[in-house]
Coordinates of all heavy atoms in Angstrom, one line a residue:
M70 N 0.8 -1.2 0.0 CA 0.0 0.0 0.0 C 0.9 1.2 0.0 O 1.8 1.4 0.8 CB -0.9 0.0 1.3 CG -1.8 1.2 1.3 SD -3.0 0.9 2.7 CE -2.7 2.3 3.6
T71 N 0.6 2.2 -0.9 CA 1.4 3.4 -1.0 C 0.5 4.5 -0.4 O -0.6 4.7 -0.8 CB 1.8 3.7 -2.4 OG1 2.5 2.6 -3.0 CG2 2.6 5.0 -2.5
L72 N 1.1 5.2 0.5 CA 0.4 6.3 1.1 C 0.6 7.6 0.3 O 1.7 7.9 -0.1 CB 0.9 6.6 2.6 CG 0.6 5.5 3.6 CD1 1.3 5.8 4.9 CD2 -0.9 5.3 3.7
K73 N -0.4 8.3 0.1 CA -0.3 9.6 -0.5 C 0.1 10.6 0.6 O -0.1 10.4 1.8 CB -1.7 10.1 -1.1 CG -2.2 9.2 -2.2 CD -3.5 9.7 -2.7 CE -4.6 9.4 -1.7 NZ -5.9 9.7 -2.1
P74 N 0.7 11.7 0.2 CA 1.2 12.7 1.3 C 0.1 13.1 2.3 O 0.3 13.2 3.5 CB 1.6 13.9 0.5 CG 2.0 13.4 -0.9 CD 1.1 12.2 -1.1
D75 N -1.2 13.2 1.8 CA -2.3 13.6 2.7 C -2.6 12.4 3.7 O -3.3 12.6 4.7 CB -3.5 14.0 1.9 CG -3.3 15.3 1.3 OD1 -2.4 16.0 1.7 OD2 -4.2 15.7 0.5
D76 N -2.2 11.2 3.3 CA -2.5 10.0 4.1 C -1.4 9.7 5.1 O -1.6 8.8 5.9 CB -2.8 8.8 3.3 CG -4.0 9.0 2.4 OD1 -4.9 9.7 2.8 OD2 -4.1 8.4 1.3
E77 N -0.3 10.4 5.1 CA 0.8 10.0 5.9 C 0.5 10.3 7.4 O -0.2 11.3 7.7 CB 2.0 10.8 5.5 CG 2.6 10.3 4.2 CD 3.9 11.0 3.8 OE1 4.4 11.8 4.6 OE2 4.3 10.8 2.7
V78 N 0.9 9.4 8.2 CA 0.7 9.6 9.6 C 2.1 9.7 10.3 O 3.0 9.0 9.9 CB 0.0 8.3 10.2 CG1 -0.1 8.4 11.7 CG2 -1.4 8.2 9.6
S79 N 2.2 10.6 11.2 CA 3.4 10.7 12.0 C 3.1 10.9 13.5 O 2.1 11.5 13.8 CB 4.3 11.8 11.4 OG 3.7 13.0 11.6
I80 N 4.0 10.5 14.3 CA 3.9 10.7 15.7 C 5.2 11.3 16.2 O 6.3 10.7 16.0 CB 3.6 9.4 16.5 CG1 2.3 8.8 16.0 CG2 3.5 9.7 18.0 CD1 2.0 7.4 16.7
V81 N 5.1 12.5 16.8 CA 6.3 13.2 17.2 C 6.3 13.3 18.7 O 5.3 13.8 19.3 CB 6.4 14.6 16.6 CG1 7.6 15.4 17.1 CG2 6.4 14.5 15.1
A82 N 7.3 12.8 19.4 CA 7.4 12.9 20.8 C 8.1 14.3 21.1 O 9.3 14.5 20.9 CB 8.3 11.8 21.4
C83 N 7.3 15.2 21.6 CA 7.8 16.5 21.9 C 8.6 16.5 23.2 O 8.1 15.9 24.2 CB 6.6 17.5 22.1 SG 5.7 17.7 20.6
P84 N 9.8 17.1 23.2 CA 10.6 17.1 24.5 C 9.8 17.8 25.6 O 9.2 18.9 25.4 CB 11.8 17.9 24.1 CG 11.9 17.8 22.6 CD 10.5 17.7 22.1
D85 N 9.7 17.2 26.7 CA 8.9 17.7 27.9 C 7.5 18.0 27.6 O 6.9 18.9 28.3 CB 9.6 19.0 28.4 CG 11.1 18.7 28.7 OD1 11.5 17.6 29.1 OD2 11.9 19.7 28.6
G86 N 6.9 17.3 26.6 CA 5.5 17.5 26.3 C 4.8 16.3 25.7 O 5.2 15.2 25.9
P87 N 3.7 16.6 25.0 CA 2.9 15.5 24.5 C 3.4 14.8 23.3 O 4.5 15.1 22.7 CB 1.6 16.3 24.1 CG 2.1 17.6 23.7 CD 3.3 17.9 24.6
L88 N 2.6 13.8 22.8 CA 2.9 13.2 21.5 C 2.0 13.8 20.5 O 0.8 13.9 20.7 CB 2.5 11.7 21.6 CG 3.3 10.8 22.6 CD1 2.7 9.4 22.7 CD2 4.8 10.8 22.2
L89 N 2.6 14.4 19.5 CA 1.8 15.0 18.4 C 1.5 13.9 17.3 O 2.4 13.4 16.7 CB 2.6 16.2 17.8 CG 2.8 17.4 18.6 CD1 3.5 18.5 17.8 CD2 1.4 17.9 19.2
V90 N 0.2 13.7 17.1 CA -0.2 12.7 16.1 C -0.8 13.5 14.9 O -1.8 14.2 15.1 CB -1.3 11.8 16.7 CG1 -1.7 10.7 15.7 CG2 -0.7 11.1 18.0
R91 N -0.1 13.3 13.8 CA -0.6 13.9 12.6 C -1.1 12.9 11.6 O -0.4 11.8 11.4 CB 0.6 14.7 11.9 CG 1.1 15.9 12.7 CD 2.1 16.7 11.9 NE 2.5 17.9 12.7 CZ 3.6 17.9 13.4 NH1 4.4 16.9 13.5 NH2 3.9 19.0 14.1
G92 N -2.2 13.2 11.0 CA -2.7 12.3 10.0 C -4.0 11.7 10.4 O -4.5 11.9 11.5
D93 N -4.6 10.9 9.4 CA -5.9 10.4 9.6 C -5.8 9.0 10.3 O -5.9 8.0 9.7 CB -6.6 10.3 8.2 CG -8.0 9.9 8.4 OD1 -8.6 10.1 9.5 OD2 -8.6 9.4 7.4
V94 N -5.7 9.1 11.6 CA -5.7 7.9 12.4 C -6.7 8.0 13.5 O -6.8 9.0 14.2 CB -4.2 7.6 13.0 CG1 -3.8 8.8 13.8 CG2 -4.2 6.3 13.7
P95 N -7.5 7.0 13.7 CA -8.5 7.1 14.8 C -7.9 7.0 16.2 O -7.0 6.3 16.4 CB -9.4 5.9 14.5 CG -8.6 4.9 13.8 CD -7.6 5.7 13.0
I96 N -8.5 7.8 17.1 CA -8.1 7.8 18.5 C -9.3 7.1 19.2 O -10.4 7.6 19.1 CB -7.9 9.2 19.1 CG1 -6.9 10.0 18.2 CG2 -7.5 9.1 20.5 CD1 -5.5 9.5 18.2
L97 N -9.0 6.0 19.8 CA -10.1 5.1 20.4 C -10.1 5.0 21.9 O -9.0 5.1 22.5 CB -10.0 3.7 19.8 CG -9.9 3.5 18.3 CD1 -9.7 2.1 17.9 CD2 -11.2 4.1 17.7
T98 N -11.2 4.8 22.5 CA -11.3 4.5 23.9 C -10.8 3.1 24.2 O -10.7 2.3 23.2 CB -12.7 4.7 24.5 OG1 -13.5 3.6 23.9 CG2 -13.4 6.0 24.1
P99 N -10.6 2.7 25.4 CA -10.2 1.3 25.7 C -11.3 0.3 25.2 O -11.0 -0.8 24.9 CB -10.1 1.3 27.2 CG -9.7 2.6 27.6 CD -10.5 3.5 26.6
D100 N -12.5 0.8 25.1 CA -13.6 -0.1 24.5 C -13.7 -0.1 23.0 O -14.5 -0.7 22.4 CB -14.9 0.4 25.1 CG -15.0 0.2 26.6 OD1 -14.3 -0.7 27.1 OD2 -15.7 1.0 27.3
G101 N -12.8 0.7 22.4 CA -12.8 0.7 20.9 C -13.7 1.8 20.3 O -13.8 1.8 19.1
E102 N -14.3 2.6 21.1 CA -15.1 3.7 20.6 C -14.3 4.9 20.1 O -13.3 5.3 20.8 CB -16.1 4.2 21.7 CG -17.1 3.1 22.1 CD -18.0 2.7 21.0 OE1 -18.5 3.5 20.2 OE2 -18.3 1.5 20.9
P103 N -14.6 5.4 19.0 CA -13.8 6.6 18.5 C -14.0 7.8 19.3 O -15.2 8.1 19.7 CB -14.3 6.7 17.1 CG -15.6 6.1 17.0 CD -15.6 5.0 18.0
L104 N -13.0 8.5 19.6 CA -13.1 9.8 20.4 C -13.2 10.9 19.4 O -12.7 10.8 18.3 CB -11.8 10.0 21.2 CG -11.7 9.1 22.4 CD1 -10.3 9.2 23.0 CD2 -12.7 9.5 23.5
P105 N -13.9 12.0 19.8 CA -14.1 13.1 18.9 C -12.7 13.7 18.6 O -11.8 13.8 19.4 CB -14.9 14.1 19.7 CG -15.0 13.6 21.1 CD -14.5 12.2 21.1
R106 N -12.6 14.1 17.3 CA -11.4 14.7 16.8 C -11.7 15.8 15.9 O -12.3 15.5 14.8 CB -10.5 13.6 16.2 CG -9.2 14.0 15.8 CD -8.3 12.9 15.3 NE -7.2 13.5 14.7 CZ -6.2 12.7 14.2 NH1 -6.2 11.4 14.3 NH2 -5.2 13.3 13.7
R107 N -11.3 17.0 16.2 CA -11.7 18.1 15.4 C -10.5 18.6 14.5 O -10.7 19.4 13.6 CB -12.1 19.3 16.2 CG -13.5 19.1 16.8 CD -13.9 20.1 17.8 NE -13.8 19.6 19.1 CZ -13.4 20.2 20.2 NH1 -13.0 21.4 20.1 NH2 -13.4 19.6 21.3
R108 N -9.3 18.1 14.8 CA -8.2 18.5 14.0 C -7.4 17.4 13.4 O -7.4 16.3 13.9 CB -7.2 19.3 14.9 CG -7.9 20.6 15.4 CD -6.9 21.3 16.3 NE -7.6 22.5 16.8 CZ -7.1 23.3 17.7 NH1 -6.0 23.0 18.3 NH2 -7.7 24.4 18.1
R109 N -6.7 17.7 12.3 CA -5.8 16.6 11.7 C -4.6 16.3 12.6 O -4.1 15.2 12.6 CB -5.4 17.1 10.3 CG -4.6 16.1 9.6 CD -4.5 16.5 8.1 NE -3.5 15.7 7.4 CZ -3.8 14.4 7.0 NH1 -4.9 13.9 7.3 NH2 -2.8 13.7 6.4
T110 N -4.2 17.3 13.4 CA -3.1 17.0 14.3 C -3.6 17.2 15.7 O -4.3 18.1 16.1 CB -1.9 18.1 14.1 OG1 -1.4 17.9 12.8 CG2 -0.8 17.9 15.1
V111 N -3.4 16.1 16.6 CA -3.8 16.2 17.9 C -2.6 15.9 18.9 O -1.6 15.3 18.5 CB -4.9 15.2 18.2 CG1 -6.2 15.5 17.5 CG2 -4.5 13.8 17.9
A112 N -2.7 16.4 20.1 CA -1.6 16.2 21.1 C -2.2 15.3 22.1 O -3.2 15.5 22.8 CB -1.2 17.5 21.7
L113 N -1.4 14.1 22.3 CA -1.8 13.2 23.3 C -0.9 13.3 24.5 O 0.3 13.4 24.4 CB -1.7 11.7 22.8 CG -2.5 11.4 21.6 CD1 -2.3 10.0 21.1 CD2 -4.0 11.6 21.9
C114 N -1.6 13.4 25.7 CA -0.9 13.6 27.0 C 0.0 12.4 27.3 O -0.3 11.2 27.1 CB -1.9 13.7 28.1 SG -1.1 13.8 29.7
R115 N 1.2 12.7 27.7 CA 2.1 11.6 28.2 C 2.6 11.9 29.6 O 3.4 11.2 30.2 CB 3.2 11.2 27.3 CG 4.2 12.3 27.0 CD 5.3 11.7 26.1 NE 6.2 12.7 25.6 CZ 7.4 12.5 25.2 NH1 7.9 11.3 25.2 NH2 8.1 13.5 24.7
C116 N 2.2 13.1 30.2 CA 2.6 13.4 31.6 C 1.6 12.7 32.6 O 2.0 12.6 33.7 CB 2.7 14.9 31.8 SG 1.1 15.7 32.0
G117 N 0.4 12.4 32.1 CA -0.6 11.8 33.0 C -1.4 12.7 33.8 O -2.3 12.3 34.6
K118 N -1.3 14.0 33.6 CA -2.0 15.0 34.5 C -3.1 15.8 33.7 O -3.7 16.6 34.3 CB -1.0 15.9 35.1 CG 0.0 15.3 36.0 CD -0.7 14.5 37.2 CE 0.4 13.9 38.1 NZ -0.3 13.1 39.1
S119 N -3.2 15.6 32.4 CA -4.2 16.3 31.7 C -5.6 16.0 32.2 O -5.9 14.9 32.7 CB -4.2 15.9 30.2 OG -5.2 16.5 29.5
T120 N -6.5 17.0 32.2 CA -7.9 16.9 32.6 C -8.8 16.4 31.4 O -10.0 16.2 31.6 CB -8.4 18.2 33.2 OG1 -8.4 19.2 32.2 CG2 -7.7 18.6 34.5
I121 N -8.2 16.4 30.3 CA -9.0 16.0 29.1 C -8.3 14.8 28.4 O -8.3 14.7 27.2 CB -9.2 17.1 28.1 CG1 -7.8 17.7 27.7 CG2 -10.0 18.2 28.7 CD1 -7.9 18.7 26.5
K122 N -7.8 13.8 29.2 CA -7.1 12.7 28.6 C -8.0 12.0 27.6 O -9.3 11.9 27.8 CB -6.7 11.7 29.7 CG -5.6 12.2 30.6 CD -5.3 11.1 31.6 CE -4.5 11.6 32.8 NZ -5.3 12.1 33.9
P123 N -7.5 11.5 26.6 CA -6.1 11.3 26.3 C -5.4 12.5 25.7 O -4.2 12.4 25.4 CB -6.1 10.1 25.3 CG -7.3 10.3 24.5 CD -8.3 10.9 25.5
Y124 N -6.1 13.6 25.6 CA -5.6 14.7 24.9 C -4.8 15.6 25.9 O -5.1 15.6 27.1 CB -6.6 15.6 24.3 CG -7.4 14.8 23.2 CD1 -8.7 14.6 23.3 CD2 -6.7 14.4 22.1 CE1 -9.4 13.9 22.4 CE2 -7.4 13.6 21.1 CZ -8.8 13.4 21.2 OH -9.4 12.7 20.3
C125 N -3.8 16.3 25.4 CA -3.0 17.2 26.3 C -3.8 18.5 26.5 O -4.4 19.0 25.5 CB -1.7 17.5 25.5 SG -0.7 18.8 26.2
D126 N -3.8 19.0 27.7 CA -4.4 20.3 28.0 C -3.4 21.4 28.4 O -3.7 22.5 28.9 CB -5.5 20.2 29.0 CG -5.0 19.8 30.4 OD1 -3.8 19.6 30.6 OD2 -5.8 19.8 31.3
G127 N -2.1 21.1 28.3 CA -1.1 22.0 28.6 C -0.6 21.9 30.1 O 0.4 22.6 30.4
T128 N -1.2 21.0 30.8 CA -0.8 20.9 32.2 C 0.7 20.5 32.4 O 1.3 20.9 33.4 CB -1.7 19.9 33.0 OG1 -3.0 20.4 32.9 CG2 -1.3 19.7 34.4
H129 N 1.2 19.8 31.4 CA 2.6 19.4 31.5 C 3.5 20.6 31.8 O 4.6 20.4 32.5 CB 3.1 18.6 30.3 CG 3.0 19.4 29.0 ND1 1.9 19.5 28.2 CD2 3.9 20.2 28.4 CE1 2.1 20.3 27.2 NE2 3.3 20.7 27.3
K130 N 3.2 21.7 31.3 CA 4.0 22.9 31.5 C 4.0 23.4 32.9 O 5.0 23.7 33.5 CB 3.5 24.1 30.6 CG 3.7 23.8 29.1 CD 3.2 24.9 28.3 CE 3.1 24.6 26.8 NZ 2.4 25.6 26.0
T131 N 2.8 23.4 33.5 CA 2.7 23.9 34.9 C 3.2 22.9 35.9 O 3.6 23.4 37.0 CB 1.2 24.2 35.2 OG1 0.4 23.0 35.1 CG2 0.6 25.3 34.3
I132 N 3.3 21.6 35.6 CA 3.9 20.7 36.6 C 5.3 20.4 36.4 O 6.0 19.7 37.1 CB 3.1 19.4 36.6 CG1 3.3 18.6 35.3 CG2 1.6 19.6 36.9 CD1 2.7 17.2 35.3
G133 N 5.9 21.0 35.3 CA 7.3 20.9 35.1 C 7.7 19.5 34.6 O 8.8 19.0 34.9
F134 N 6.8 18.9 33.8 CA 7.0 17.5 33.2 C 8.3 17.5 32.4 O 8.5 18.4 31.6 CB 5.8 17.1 32.4 CG 6.0 15.8 31.7 CD1 6.1 14.6 32.4 CD2 6.1 15.7 30.3 CE1 6.3 13.4 31.8 CE2 6.2 14.5 29.7 CZ 6.3 13.3 30.4
R135 N 9.1 16.5 32.7 CA 10.4 16.4 31.9 C 10.5 15.0 31.3 O 10.2 14.0 32.0 CB 11.6 16.7 32.8 CG 11.7 18.1 33.3 CD 12.1 19.0 32.2 NE 12.1 20.4 32.6 CZ 11.2 21.3 32.3 NH1 10.1 21.0 31.6 NH2 11.3 22.5 32.8
T136 N 10.9 14.9 30.1 CA 11.2 13.6 29.5 C 12.7 13.3 29.5 O 13.5 14.2 29.7 CB 10.7 13.6 28.0 OG1 11.3 14.7 27.3 CG2 9.2 13.8 27.9
E137 N 13.0 12.1 29.3 CA 14.4 11.7 29.2 C 15.0 12.2 27.9 O 14.3 12.3 26.9 CB 14.5 10.2 29.2 CG 14.0 9.5 30.5 CD 14.8 9.8 31.7 OE1 16.1 9.9 31.5 OE2 14.3 10.0 32.8
P138 N 16.3 12.6 28.0 CA 16.9 13.0 26.7 C 16.9 11.9 25.7 O 16.9 10.7 26.0 CB 18.4 13.3 27.1 CG 18.4 13.3 28.6 CD 17.2 12.6 29.1
E139 N 16.8 12.3 24.4 CA 16.8 11.4 23.3 C 18.1 10.7 23.2 O 19.2 11.3 23.4 CB 16.6 12.1 22.0 CG 15.2 12.8 21.9 CD 14.1 11.8 21.6 OE1 14.4 10.7 21.0 OE2 13.0 12.0 22.1
L140 N 18.1 9.4 23.0 CA 19.4 8.6 22.8 C 19.8 8.8 21.4 O 19.0 8.9 20.4 CB 19.1 7.1 23.0 CG 18.7 6.8 24.5 CD1 18.4 5.3 24.6 CD2 19.9 7.1 25.4
P141 N 21.1 8.9 21.1 CA 21.6 9.0 19.8 C 21.2 7.8 18.9 O 21.2 6.7 19.5 CB 23.1 9.1 19.9 CG 23.4 9.0 21.4 CD 22.2 8.9 22.1
A142 N 20.9 8.0 17.7 CA 20.5 6.9 16.8 C 21.7 6.0 16.5 O 22.8 6.3 16.5 CB 19.9 7.5 15.5
Ligands
FES1696 S1 1.5 16.1 28.1 FE1 0.4 17.9 28.1 S2 -1.0 17.7 29.7 FE2 0.1 15.9 29.8

């Protein structure tokens, strides 16, 4: 299967922040129900403190969430 540029999906781990998910990929509940999604790019919380999980609400900034440094490839 060849993806067209508009179909490409990427996930970017932001330093000290969320995972940015770009592309047409469903975000599901543990029961498999699709969550509402209004944008092509969404931020998923990885600090665990967002009030709108699984989405990021910016709380990572106020709690000083820090990620581990990237390992060299
Ligand atoms: S990563 Fe942003 S609120 Fe958790």
Side-chain angles (χ1 to χ4, degrees):
M70 180 171 124
T71 303
L72 295 175
K73 296 179 290 185
D75 287 347
D76 295 332
E77 289 182 6
V78 172
S79 66
I80 301 174
V81 176
C83 297
D85 304 330
L88 298 173
L89 292 183
V90 179
R91 295 188 176 97
D93 188 17
V94 59
I96 308 292
L97 306 174
T98 68
D100 296 331
E102 295 297 320
L104 287 168
R106 185 170 169 179
R107 286 174 253 142
R108 297 181 177 168
R109 184 165 169 75
T110 299
V111 295
L113 298 180
C114 175
R115 65 175 170 156
C116 77
K118 299 299 183 186
S119 174
T120 60
I121 57 169
K122 291 182 196 90
Y124 300 116
C125 169
D126 68 357
T128 299
H129 62 272
K130 294 177 191 169
T131 60
I132 65 170
F134 176 67
R135 294 287 179 257
T136 55
E137 296 292 323
E139 296 285 329
L140 295 175

